[in-house]
Amino acid sequence: MLYLMAGNIGTGKTTTSKTLFGPNTFYVSEDSLCLLLNMNHYGKELWDLEHWSMYNKCKLDITRNALQLGYNIIVDGAHINKQSRKPILYIAKQHNTKVEVFWHKDPNGLQHRLQDNRGEPDDLWKEVWTRFEKQQEDPSLDEGISIIHIKETI
């Protein structure tokens, strides 16, 4: 099983991930990869295209390897539109793995992120929230998703 978290920042994706984690399950996110690859440093300069591409490639490789070895995997990230979900869903299809998407739509997500701003300025998070909001596309079963769970609040 592949559990795909999707939604804007601060909407509870990692919180949902924690409820799904258990035996025979791995967890991966760009946030955790950023911290791992940058010695627990988390900063705006680490989210340019070059860095993000590295995190994304690692995320896809970990997902592919986990499914090849027969593990379930939770893939936590914005996955805000069809294009951003496509590579993960392709890997799931290659491994004949069902996908449950948890679509997080908490309208208070920005406020949640500002309360836990990870040491970054509020303006940065407001910019990210707005950018993601403009790119957002609801997931649909025709993407190759088995089940879509709508999470309105944390």
Side-chain angles (χ1 to χ4, degrees), residues 11 16 23 33 44 53 67 72 74 90 112 114 131 140 142 152:
T11 55
T16 298
L33 289 167
K44 181 180 180 179
S53 293
L67 294 177
N72 298 318
I74 302 163
Y90 178 74
H112 296 300
L114 295 178
R131 183 169 20 99
S140 65
D142 68 1
E152 298 287 346

Side-chain angles (χ1 to χ4, degrees), residues 4 13 23 26 40 48 61-62 78 85 90 92 98 100 109 124 128 140 143:
L4 184 65
K13 299 178 299 293
F26 285 115
N40 285 331
D48 60 16
D61 285 344
I62 290 168
R85 293 185 290 270
Y90 178 74
K98 291 184 179 182
E100 289 189 32
L124 170 68
V128 171
S140 65
E143 293 179 61

Side-chain angles (χ1 to χ4, degrees), residues 41-109:
H41 178 67
Y42 193 96
K44 181 180 180 179
E45 72 279 8
L46 300 174
W47 288 100
D48 60 16
L49 184 58
E50 184 177 324
H51 283 88
W52 183 85
S53 293
M54 175 66 171
Y55 310 144
N56 194 49
K57 286 176 186 176
C58 290
K59 175 184 74 174
L60 296 175
D61 285 344
I62 290 168
T63 300
R64 186 178 298 106
N65 290 328
L67 294 177
Q68 281 175 348
L69 294 170
Y71 289 94
N72 298 318
I73 188 157
I74 302 163
V75 184
D76 186 355
H79 307 111
I80 208 77
N81 56 36
K82 187 175 183 176
Q83 187 64 30
S84 64
R85 293 185 290 270
K86 190 174 182 178
I88 293 287
L89 296 173
Y90 178 74
I91 291 169
K93 184 177 180 179
Q94 285 181 313
H95 293 89
N96 198 31
T97 300
K98 291 184 179 182
V99 178
E100 289 189 32
V101 170
F102 291 79
W103 184 232
H104 293 77
K105 300 178 69 150
D106 188 339
N108 298 312

